[in-house]
Amino acid sequence: MEPVYGSIVTFARALFTAQGLRFTVTGTDHIPRVGGAVIAVNHTGYLDFAYAGKAVLPAKRFIRYMAKHEVFEHKVSGPLMRGCKHIPVDRVSGGDAYKAAVQALKHGELVGVYPEATISRSFEIKEFKSGAARMAIEAGVPIIPIIVWGAQRVWTKGFPKQLGRTRTPISVAVGAPIEPFKPAADLTAKLQSDMKELLLKVQDDYGPHPEGAYWVPKRLGGSAPTLEEATILDRKDADARIAARRAREEAKET
């Protein structure tokens, strides 16, 4: 057991128990006991990574997540991220992070990625980036899809955190490994298709989805935006971030 990662896992277990979270974890036999693999997780909330981590614990493995480099620069989170051997990503120039991830995979690590890149406001599967596929191909390792459902009820974009004792059910499902093949675009399409299918199954098994609830997709009667509506919101956010960055740069120049 790694001291830093192990301590965080112990703390997380105690926190989840205090919150009363009710986990259903399936497909853990798909996690290899040894060897590298890309762990592809859907992204509906800020704590997906922590819940997905429960799926690899029976194999006595840890996931090395790729995360924005700002987290590594924080005085509290930085030492923890480095102690867990996570991989910093510079969103302006991500080449070094990609190389580090491929090396980690070749050395037998499980590297965690969000193929959607950002949280899905619709709680449906968004368009995928090709990074997971390209890494798997270059390192010669499988991609293992993981679906987390219910995380958006605890903490997601645009809604208050629900970190108290909520007894929220959380489902974590591991899909069958996908062996790498070229081209990366086809592998990405295969991964996206498998994760969509797995998400539908998890949702069917999850239980009632209250009509009009913010955390429920429009398709299931909830008030979440459709995938198309969410894409428009994401573009507006991206434009706002670009405008803010330009304003900061202009302010520095004056």
Side-chain angles (χ1 to χ4, degrees):
M1 180 71 77
E2 298 179 22
V4 176
Y5 218 140
S7 297
I8 291 175
V9 168
T10 299
F11 173 78
R13 281 174 165 167
L15 177 61
F16 298 160
T17 299
Q19 291 177 291
L21 300 182
R22 295 174 291 149
F23 285 94
T24 299
V25 184
T26 59
T28 57
D29 55 310
H30 291 309
I31 302 296
R33 294 277 171 172
V34 296
V38 176
I39 304 296
V41 186
N42 69 316
H43 206 4
T44 63
Y46 292 110
L47 297 177
D48 298 317
F49 72 96
Y51 304 149
K54 291 182 68 67
V56 307
L57 292 180
K60 299 181 180 179
R61 306 289 305 269
F62 294 120
I63 302 175
R64 316 300 178 183
Y65 280 102
M66 300 184 73
K68 59 184 181 181
H69 77 281
E70 290 88 349
V71 181
F72 291 79
E73 296 175 347
H74 191 275
K75 64 180 180 180
V76 175
S77 62
L80 296 177
M81 296 295 284
R82 289 188 290 273
C84 292
K85 302 178 185 176
H86 295 311
I87 302 168
V89 179
D90 185 330
R91 287 184 288 184
V92 176
S93 177
D96 289 344
Y98 176 86
K99 292 176 183 176
V102 170
Q103 281 301 112
L105 291 167
K106 289 180 176 179
H107 290 156
E109 299 284 5
L110 302 178
V111 174
V113 300
Y114 291 124
E116 299 165 286
T118 57
I119 287 176
S120 172
R121 299 176 197 249
S122 68
F123 309 125
E124 305 280 14
I125 298 293
K126 296 167 57 176
E127 287 301 310
F128 279 11
K129 305 293 185 183
S130 64
R134 290 186 289 110
M135 287 190 296
I137 291 169
E138 186 168 342
V141 300
I143 305 176
I144 301 176
I146 292 183
I147 290 293
V148 177
W149 189 245
Q152 72 273 28
R153 301 177 65 177
V154 179
W155 188 11
T156 193
K157 183 183 293 185
F159 294 94
K161 308 181 195 68
Q162 303 293 330
L163 299 178
R165 189 168 179 80
T166 60
R167 293 187 57 77
T168 301
I170 306 289
S171 292
V172 182
V174 185
I178 304 169
E179 293 300 324
F181 61 86
K182 295 180 180 180
D186 289 353
L187 180 56
T188 299
K190 167 65 174 171
L191 173 62
Q192 185 181 35
S193 175
D194 283 11
M195 291 185 73
K196 283 182 178 180
E197 184 177 342
L198 186 58
L199 175 61
L200 292 177
K201 183 180 185 309
V202 170
Q203 289 172 334
D204 285 344
D205 295 341
Y206 186 79
H209 288 85
E211 185 174 352
Y214 77 88
W215 58 271
V216 177
K218 184 87 71 175
R219 172 176 52 81
L220 296 176
S223 60
T226 64
L227 188 57
E228 293 75 19
E229 291 167 342
T231 299
I232 293 172
L233 292 172
D234 287 344
R235 286 173 182 163
K236 288 181 178 178
D237 280 357
D239 290 343
R241 285 195 299 270
I242 292 171
R245 188 182 307 123
R246 286 174 179 168
R248 289 193 298 269
E249 291 172 353
E250 290 174 358
K252 291 178 181 179
E253 293 174 357
T254 58

